[in-house]
Amino acid sequence: TLVPIASEIMKVPYPELIQRQENISEIILAEEKSFISAFHSSDALFKEKFSELFKKPDPERAGKIAFQLYDTYGMPLELTCDWLEKKGINISKEAFDQELLGQKTRSKLQSAMKGDVFGVVALDYNVKETKFLGYKDYSARVKIIKIIKDNLEVKKLSKGEEATIILDKTSFYAEAGGQVGDTGELVKGKNIFEVLDTKKAGKVILHIGKVKAGSFKKGDFVLSKINIERRLSIARNHTATHLLQAALRKVLGVHVQQQGSLVCTDKLRFDFTHFKDIDKPQLERIEEIVNDYIINNYAVDIKQKSLKEAKKSGALAFFGEKYEGMVCVVSINDVSCELCGGTHLNSTGQIGIFKIIQEGSIASGVRRIEAVTGKGVHKIIKEQEDKLKQEIEKKAARIKELEKRRNLQDWDSVSNKMDEIFEKKEFINEISLIAGSWDNLDIALLRKAVDAVKVKTGNAIIALGSNNDGKALLVIGVTADLCQKGIDAARLILEPAKIIGGSGGGRCDFAQAGG
């Protein structure tokens, strides 16, 4: 009710409120409903949580439980206190306040301690800013200006030693904005330092790894070579993240804002603001739109602009990034325009294909999508194919086993009836005619029945049939002695085949027909 009024009052400093008021209203409504639901079930919740205090009152424990209810369900302390007062249970508000203070402290520490605070990243290296060349150059001739081992500066490294190397300039991208750092090698002739991770301390880029061969010392000139294939995989996922945010805003609304991301070699993860579940058709549409952007092969344009100029152009800012005077603006046609210092492709077509593998809620009003691109999609399809193949093989084996059991059961019924048929045989010109029929027998069992009769007798013609859901199956068998006298099962089957509106054929000792 109040959102339109608040939006109107605040429209000068926050003009976007007007166009987003419907989304804001839905978010507030969802929060209201969630609280009302908790409020209506509060009595049962209180009984469950405070049950231990009915027999043994403990004001301090009551205060801690009250905080848990406040922190988990948003239950106001006043409401909890009213309920406890009616039940004659005292509560320590000091204990509640202490828990609240502890939560605030933990939250601040968590915010301040993102990254390797107590590792090499926190040290003061007293060196100039590392010049980053890696947007265009995947390798470069550079100089080692500092070597750090066990948090101390050293002059030299030998084979097998782990350390952090600082260069005057580098092709290696340091972990930032959700994108993982580059890996690769620093090479000096036959001497190799394997870079296992790249991080940043202020404006200094740190190459973390170990000596694979030879040795290195301060002042050496080396060739910095990133793992190009890995970099391109990361760039595919990073560029796709921009397309994903654009698709989310198109399908779900402009209220969608990035709340965090992870861009690595095998997948991308994107956290964003949204206040309700995303249904399957919406998710499929988001995936479809991203793939449309990829197929259209839009150019990815990266330009340096002043922060003021970038904001004026409507560029979106990534969550958690710190921006200075000059910023990197990544534009993809009229699809996306964002401030981002990560590495990207030259065009969207290089992504190949995009596939969402998971979506869900990670916090109130915040959802997460995980997706893969390029070779990652091929790998998932292959895994799904293998899994499907295994399932089909299992089911086929199960069907075969059930068919085998059914055939055994059917053969038991055939065997039981065969004795009766055998006894009722007729004689025509001294030749035995053994005839009978069943329901729902296949041709294999009919053949088996003919062979079973042939073992028991000679000088016989065996004529058997089966009605399979309105379709007729006929078989005729002739014993070997009669075949020698010129009696031919293949010729005999032709007459009854006409009657059932079908055709037949076979050998002189066995023939079959259907119709």
Short mmCIF file of all heavy atoms in Angstrom, two decimals, residues 34-54 61-62 64-77 79-81 83-84 87 89:
data_model
loop_
_atom_site.label_atom_id
_atom_site.label_comp_id
_atom_site.label_asym_id
_atom_site.label_seq_id
_atom_site.Cartn_x
_atom_site.Cartn_y
_atom_site.Cartn_z
N SER A 34 5.43 -14.34 4.71
CA SER A 34 6.34 -15.22 5.43
C SER A 34 6.25 -14.98 6.94
O SER A 34 6.18 -15.92 7.73
CB SER A 34 7.78 -14.99 4.95
OG SER A 34 8.68 -15.77 5.68
N PHE A 35 6.21 -13.70 7.31
CA PHE A 35 6.11 -13.37 8.74
C PHE A 35 4.76 -13.77 9.32
O PHE A 35 4.68 -14.33 10.42
CB PHE A 35 6.35 -11.87 8.98
CG PHE A 35 6.17 -11.49 10.43
CD1 PHE A 35 7.15 -11.79 11.35
CD2 PHE A 35 5.00 -10.88 10.86
CE1 PHE A 35 6.98 -11.48 12.69
CE2 PHE A 35 4.83 -10.57 12.19
CZ PHE A 35 5.82 -10.86 13.11
N ILE A 36 3.69 -13.49 8.57
CA ILE A 36 2.34 -13.83 9.05
C ILE A 36 2.23 -15.34 9.27
O ILE A 36 1.64 -15.80 10.24
CB ILE A 36 1.26 -13.32 8.07
CG1 ILE A 36 1.20 -11.78 8.14
CG2 ILE A 36 -0.10 -13.92 8.37
CD1 ILE A 36 0.42 -11.14 7.00
N SER A 37 2.82 -16.11 8.35
CA SER A 37 2.81 -17.57 8.47
C SER A 37 3.52 -18.00 9.74
O SER A 37 3.03 -18.85 10.50
CB SER A 37 3.49 -18.20 7.25
OG SER A 37 3.58 -19.59 7.40
N ALA A 38 4.69 -17.39 9.99
CA ALA A 38 5.45 -17.70 11.21
C ALA A 38 4.68 -17.25 12.45
O ALA A 38 4.64 -17.94 13.48
CB ALA A 38 6.82 -17.04 11.16
N PHE A 39 4.02 -16.08 12.36
CA PHE A 39 3.25 -15.52 13.47
C PHE A 39 2.09 -16.45 13.86
O PHE A 39 1.87 -16.72 15.03
CB PHE A 39 2.72 -14.14 13.08
CG PHE A 39 1.89 -13.47 14.14
CD1 PHE A 39 2.50 -12.81 15.19
CD2 PHE A 39 0.51 -13.51 14.08
CE1 PHE A 39 1.74 -12.21 16.18
CE2 PHE A 39 -0.26 -12.91 15.07
CZ PHE A 39 0.36 -12.26 16.11
N HIS A 40 1.37 -16.96 12.87
CA HIS A 40 0.22 -17.83 13.14
C HIS A 40 0.64 -19.17 13.75
O HIS A 40 -0.15 -19.80 14.45
CB HIS A 40 -0.59 -18.07 11.87
CG HIS A 40 -1.40 -16.87 11.46
ND1 HIS A 40 -2.13 -16.12 12.36
CD2 HIS A 40 -1.62 -16.30 10.24
CE1 HIS A 40 -2.76 -15.14 11.73
NE2 HIS A 40 -2.45 -15.21 10.45
N SER A 41 1.86 -19.59 13.44
CA SER A 41 2.33 -20.87 13.99
C SER A 41 3.25 -20.64 15.19
O SER A 41 3.93 -21.56 15.64
CB SER A 41 3.08 -21.66 12.92
OG SER A 41 4.19 -20.93 12.44
N SER A 42 3.26 -19.39 15.72
CA SER A 42 4.21 -19.04 16.78
C SER A 42 3.97 -19.84 18.06
O SER A 42 4.92 -20.23 18.73
CB SER A 42 4.13 -17.54 17.07
OG SER A 42 2.83 -17.18 17.51
N ASP A 43 2.71 -20.10 18.40
CA ASP A 43 2.42 -20.82 19.65
C ASP A 43 3.07 -22.20 19.64
O ASP A 43 3.73 -22.60 20.59
CB ASP A 43 0.90 -20.93 19.86
CG ASP A 43 0.56 -21.45 21.24
OD1 ASP A 43 0.91 -20.76 22.25
OD2 ASP A 43 -0.02 -22.55 21.34
N ALA A 44 2.87 -22.92 18.53
CA ALA A 44 3.46 -24.27 18.41
C ALA A 44 4.99 -24.17 18.39
O ALA A 44 5.68 -25.02 18.98
CB ALA A 44 2.97 -24.93 17.13
N LEU A 45 5.51 -23.12 17.73
CA LEU A 45 6.96 -22.93 17.65
C LEU A 45 7.54 -22.65 19.02
O LEU A 45 8.57 -23.22 19.41
CB LEU A 45 7.26 -21.77 16.69
CG LEU A 45 8.71 -21.57 16.26
CD1 LEU A 45 9.23 -22.76 15.48
CD2 LEU A 45 8.84 -20.30 15.41
N PHE A 46 6.87 -21.78 19.79
CA PHE A 46 7.33 -21.45 21.14
C PHE A 46 7.33 -22.70 22.04
O PHE A 46 8.27 -22.92 22.80
CB PHE A 46 6.44 -20.36 21.77
CG PHE A 46 6.65 -18.99 21.18
CD1 PHE A 46 5.60 -18.08 21.09
CD2 PHE A 46 7.90 -18.60 20.71
CE1 PHE A 46 5.79 -16.82 20.55
CE2 PHE A 46 8.10 -17.33 20.17
CZ PHE A 46 7.03 -16.45 20.09
N LYS A 47 6.25 -23.47 21.95
CA LYS A 47 6.15 -24.69 22.77
C LYS A 47 7.29 -25.66 22.47
O LYS A 47 7.87 -26.26 23.37
CB LYS A 47 4.80 -25.39 22.53
CG LYS A 47 3.63 -24.72 23.21
CD LYS A 47 2.32 -25.43 22.88
CE LYS A 47 1.13 -24.72 23.52
NZ LYS A 47 -0.15 -25.33 23.11
N GLU A 48 7.60 -25.76 21.18
CA GLU A 48 8.68 -26.68 20.77
C GLU A 48 10.04 -26.18 21.27
O GLU A 48 10.83 -26.95 21.84
CB GLU A 48 8.70 -26.79 19.24
CG GLU A 48 9.81 -27.69 18.71
CD GLU A 48 10.02 -27.54 17.21
OE1 GLU A 48 9.09 -27.04 16.52
OE2 GLU A 48 11.11 -27.91 16.73
N LYS A 49 10.33 -24.90 21.06
CA LYS A 49 11.65 -24.35 21.36
C LYS A 49 11.90 -24.17 22.86
O LYS A 49 13.03 -24.31 23.33
CB LYS A 49 11.86 -23.02 20.64
CG LYS A 49 11.80 -23.11 19.12
CD LYS A 49 12.92 -23.96 18.57
CE LYS A 49 12.86 -24.04 17.04
NZ LYS A 49 13.92 -24.93 16.52
N PHE A 50 10.83 -23.84 23.61
CA PHE A 50 11.02 -23.57 25.04
C PHE A 50 10.61 -24.75 25.92
O PHE A 50 10.54 -24.60 27.15
CB PHE A 50 10.22 -22.32 25.45
CG PHE A 50 10.76 -21.03 24.88
CD1 PHE A 50 10.11 -20.39 23.85
CD2 PHE A 50 11.93 -20.48 25.38
CE1 PHE A 50 10.61 -19.20 23.33
CE2 PHE A 50 12.44 -19.29 24.86
CZ PHE A 50 11.78 -18.65 23.83
N SER A 51 10.35 -25.90 25.33
CA SER A 51 9.86 -27.06 26.09
C SER A 51 10.80 -27.45 27.23
O SER A 51 10.36 -27.86 28.31
CB SER A 51 9.65 -28.27 25.16
OG SER A 51 10.88 -28.60 24.52
N GLU A 52 12.11 -27.31 26.98
CA GLU A 52 13.11 -27.70 27.99
C GLU A 52 13.05 -26.82 29.24
O GLU A 52 13.55 -27.20 30.31
CB GLU A 52 14.52 -27.62 27.38
CG GLU A 52 14.91 -26.22 26.94
CD GLU A 52 16.25 -26.17 26.22
OE1 GLU A 52 16.26 -26.34 24.98
OE2 GLU A 52 17.26 -25.95 26.91
N LEU A 53 12.43 -25.63 29.12
CA LEU A 53 12.42 -24.67 30.24
C LEU A 53 11.17 -24.76 31.11
O LEU A 53 11.09 -24.08 32.14
CB LEU A 53 12.57 -23.24 29.71
CG LEU A 53 13.82 -22.95 28.85
CD1 LEU A 53 13.83 -21.50 28.40
CD2 LEU A 53 15.09 -23.27 29.63
N PHE A 54 10.20 -25.60 30.70
CA PHE A 54 8.97 -25.71 31.52
C PHE A 54 9.28 -26.33 32.88
O PHE A 54 8.75 -25.91 33.90
CB PHE A 54 7.91 -26.55 30.79
CG PHE A 54 7.31 -25.84 29.59
CD1 PHE A 54 7.19 -26.48 28.37
CD2 PHE A 54 6.88 -24.54 29.69
CE1 PHE A 54 6.65 -25.84 27.27
CE2 PHE A 54 6.34 -23.88 28.59
CZ PHE A 54 6.22 -24.52 27.38
N ARG A 61 19.21 -19.05 29.17
CA ARG A 61 18.91 -19.97 28.06
C ARG A 61 17.70 -19.46 27.28
O ARG A 61 17.67 -19.54 26.04
CB ARG A 61 18.64 -21.38 28.60
CG ARG A 61 18.27 -22.42 27.57
CD ARG A 61 19.41 -22.72 26.65
NE ARG A 61 19.01 -23.69 25.64
CZ ARG A 61 19.45 -23.68 24.39
NH1 ARG A 61 20.31 -22.76 23.99
NH2 ARG A 61 19.05 -24.58 23.52
N ALA A 62 16.70 -18.94 27.98
CA ALA A 62 15.50 -18.38 27.33
C ALA A 62 15.88 -17.23 26.41
O ALA A 62 15.35 -17.08 25.30
CB ALA A 62 14.49 -17.93 28.37
N LYS A 64 18.79 -16.79 24.88
CA LYS A 64 19.49 -17.33 23.70
C LYS A 64 18.51 -17.94 22.70
O LYS A 64 18.65 -17.77 21.48
CB LYS A 64 20.51 -18.38 24.15
CG LYS A 64 21.70 -17.77 24.88
CD LYS A 64 22.72 -18.84 25.27
CE LYS A 64 23.93 -18.19 25.97
NZ LYS A 64 24.94 -19.19 26.35
N ILE A 65 17.50 -18.66 23.23
CA ILE A 65 16.49 -19.26 22.33
C ILE A 65 15.68 -18.16 21.65
O ILE A 65 15.36 -18.26 20.46
CB ILE A 65 15.56 -20.21 23.12
CG1 ILE A 65 16.36 -21.42 23.64
CG2 ILE A 65 14.40 -20.69 22.23
CD1 ILE A 65 15.59 -22.31 24.61
N ALA A 66 15.36 -17.11 22.40
CA ALA A 66 14.61 -15.97 21.83
C ALA A 66 15.38 -15.35 20.67
O ALA A 66 14.80 -14.97 19.65
CB ALA A 66 14.34 -14.93 22.90
N PHE A 67 16.72 -15.27 20.82
CA PHE A 67 17.53 -14.72 19.73
C PHE A 67 17.49 -15.64 18.51
O PHE A 67 17.39 -15.17 17.37
CB PHE A 67 18.98 -14.51 20.16
CG PHE A 67 19.86 -14.11 19.00
CD1 PHE A 67 19.80 -12.82 18.49
CD2 PHE A 67 20.69 -15.04 18.38
CE1 PHE A 67 20.57 -12.45 17.40
CE2 PHE A 67 21.46 -14.68 17.29
CZ PHE A 67 21.41 -13.38 16.79
N GLN A 68 17.55 -16.95 18.73
CA GLN A 68 17.49 -17.91 17.61
C GLN A 68 16.18 -17.74 16.84
O GLN A 68 16.16 -17.78 15.60
CB GLN A 68 17.60 -19.34 18.14
CG GLN A 68 18.99 -19.70 18.64
CD GLN A 68 19.02 -21.05 19.33
OE1 GLN A 68 18.03 -21.78 19.35
NE2 GLN A 68 20.16 -21.38 19.93
N LEU A 69 15.07 -17.54 17.58
CA LEU A 69 13.76 -17.34 16.94
C LEU A 69 13.74 -16.03 16.15
O LEU A 69 13.16 -15.96 15.07
CB LEU A 69 12.65 -17.34 17.99
CG LEU A 69 12.38 -18.69 18.68
CD1 LEU A 69 11.46 -18.51 19.86
CD2 LEU A 69 11.76 -19.67 17.67
N TYR A 70 14.37 -15.01 16.71
CA TYR A 70 14.46 -13.70 16.03
C TYR A 70 15.33 -13.82 14.77
O TYR A 70 14.97 -13.32 13.70
CB TYR A 70 15.05 -12.68 17.00
CG TYR A 70 15.50 -11.39 16.36
CD1 TYR A 70 14.59 -10.41 15.98
CD2 TYR A 70 16.86 -11.17 16.11
CE1 TYR A 70 15.01 -9.22 15.37
CE2 TYR A 70 17.29 -10.00 15.51
CZ TYR A 70 16.37 -9.03 15.13
OH TYR A 70 16.78 -7.87 14.53
N ASP A 71 16.46 -14.50 14.91
CA ASP A 71 17.44 -14.59 13.82
C ASP A 71 16.94 -15.50 12.69
O ASP A 71 17.15 -15.21 11.51
CB ASP A 71 18.76 -15.13 14.38
CG ASP A 71 19.90 -14.98 13.39
OD1 ASP A 71 20.00 -13.93 12.74
OD2 ASP A 71 20.70 -15.93 13.24
N THR A 72 16.26 -16.59 13.05
CA THR A 72 15.84 -17.59 12.06
C THR A 72 14.47 -17.29 11.46
O THR A 72 14.27 -17.39 10.26
CB THR A 72 15.81 -19.00 12.70
OG1 THR A 72 17.08 -19.25 13.31
CG2 THR A 72 15.52 -20.06 11.64
N TYR A 73 13.51 -16.90 12.33
CA TYR A 73 12.12 -16.72 11.87
C TYR A 73 11.66 -15.27 11.86
O TYR A 73 10.52 -14.98 11.48
CB TYR A 73 11.16 -17.53 12.77
CG TYR A 73 11.46 -19.02 12.79
CD1 TYR A 73 12.20 -19.57 13.82
CD2 TYR A 73 11.02 -19.85 11.76
CE1 TYR A 73 12.48 -20.94 13.84
CE2 TYR A 73 11.29 -21.20 11.77
CZ TYR A 73 12.03 -21.74 12.82
OH TYR A 73 12.31 -23.09 12.83
N GLY A 74 12.53 -14.34 12.32
CA GLY A 74 12.13 -12.93 12.39
C GLY A 74 11.13 -12.66 13.49
O GLY A 74 10.39 -11.67 13.45
N MET A 75 11.09 -13.54 14.50
CA MET A 75 10.12 -13.40 15.58
C MET A 75 10.54 -12.25 16.52
O MET A 75 11.61 -12.31 17.13
CB MET A 75 10.04 -14.71 16.37
CG MET A 75 8.76 -14.88 17.15
SD MET A 75 7.30 -14.95 16.09
CE MET A 75 7.53 -16.51 15.26
N PRO A 76 9.72 -11.19 16.64
CA PRO A 76 10.09 -10.05 17.49
C PRO A 76 10.26 -10.47 18.95
O PRO A 76 9.52 -11.31 19.46
CB PRO A 76 8.90 -9.09 17.34
CG PRO A 76 8.20 -9.53 16.10
CD PRO A 76 8.42 -11.00 16.00
N LEU A 77 11.23 -9.85 19.61
CA LEU A 77 11.50 -10.17 21.02
C LEU A 77 10.27 -9.89 21.88
O LEU A 77 9.97 -10.66 22.80
CB LEU A 77 12.70 -9.34 21.51
CG LEU A 77 13.07 -9.50 22.99
CD1 LEU A 77 13.47 -10.95 23.29
CD2 LEU A 77 14.21 -8.55 23.36
N LEU A 79 7.12 -10.16 21.17
CA LEU A 79 6.13 -11.23 21.05
C LEU A 79 6.55 -12.45 21.87
O LEU A 79 5.73 -13.07 22.56
CB LEU A 79 6.00 -11.62 19.56
CG LEU A 79 4.87 -12.59 19.20
CD1 LEU A 79 3.52 -11.97 19.43
CD2 LEU A 79 5.00 -13.00 17.74
N THR A 80 7.84 -12.76 21.82
CA THR A 80 8.36 -13.90 22.58
C THR A 80 8.23 -13.65 24.08
O THR A 80 7.83 -14.54 24.84
CB THR A 80 9.85 -14.14 22.22
OG1 THR A 80 9.97 -14.26 20.81
CG2 THR A 80 10.38 -15.40 22.87
N CYS A 81 8.57 -12.41 24.50
CA CYS A 81 8.48 -12.06 25.93
C CYS A 81 7.04 -12.17 26.45
O CYS A 81 6.81 -12.65 27.57
CB CYS A 81 9.01 -10.65 26.16
SG CYS A 81 10.81 -10.52 26.00
N TRP A 83 4.68 -14.13 25.36
CA TRP A 83 4.31 -15.55 25.46
C TRP A 83 4.95 -16.18 26.70
O TRP A 83 4.31 -16.91 27.44
CB TRP A 83 4.76 -16.29 24.20
CG TRP A 83 4.26 -17.71 24.12
CD1 TRP A 83 3.08 -18.12 23.58
CD2 TRP A 83 4.93 -18.88 24.59
NE1 TRP A 83 2.96 -19.49 23.68
CE2 TRP A 83 4.09 -19.98 24.30
CE3 TRP A 83 6.15 -19.12 25.23
CZ2 TRP A 83 4.43 -21.30 24.63
CZ3 TRP A 83 6.49 -20.41 25.57
CH2 TRP A 83 5.65 -21.50 25.26
N LEU A 84 6.24 -15.87 26.94
CA LEU A 84 6.95 -16.42 28.09
C LEU A 84 6.36 -15.93 29.41
O LEU A 84 6.25 -16.67 30.39
CB LEU A 84 8.44 -16.05 28.02
CG LEU A 84 9.25 -16.74 26.91
CD1 LEU A 84 10.64 -16.14 26.83
CD2 LEU A 84 9.34 -18.24 27.14
N LYS A 87 3.43 -17.86 30.38
CA LYS A 87 3.78 -19.21 30.82
C LYS A 87 4.58 -19.19 32.12
O LYS A 87 4.97 -20.23 32.64
CB LYS A 87 4.61 -19.94 29.74
CG LYS A 87 3.89 -20.09 28.41
CD LYS A 87 2.68 -20.99 28.52
CE LYS A 87 1.97 -21.11 27.16
NZ LYS A 87 0.76 -21.94 27.24
N ILE A 89 7.64 -17.94 32.55
CA ILE A 89 9.07 -18.19 32.32
C ILE A 89 9.78 -16.85 32.20
O ILE A 89 9.40 -16.01 31.38
CB ILE A 89 9.28 -19.03 31.04
CG1 ILE A 89 8.60 -20.39 31.18
CG2 ILE A 89 10.78 -19.21 30.77
CD1 ILE A 89 8.60 -21.21 29.89
#
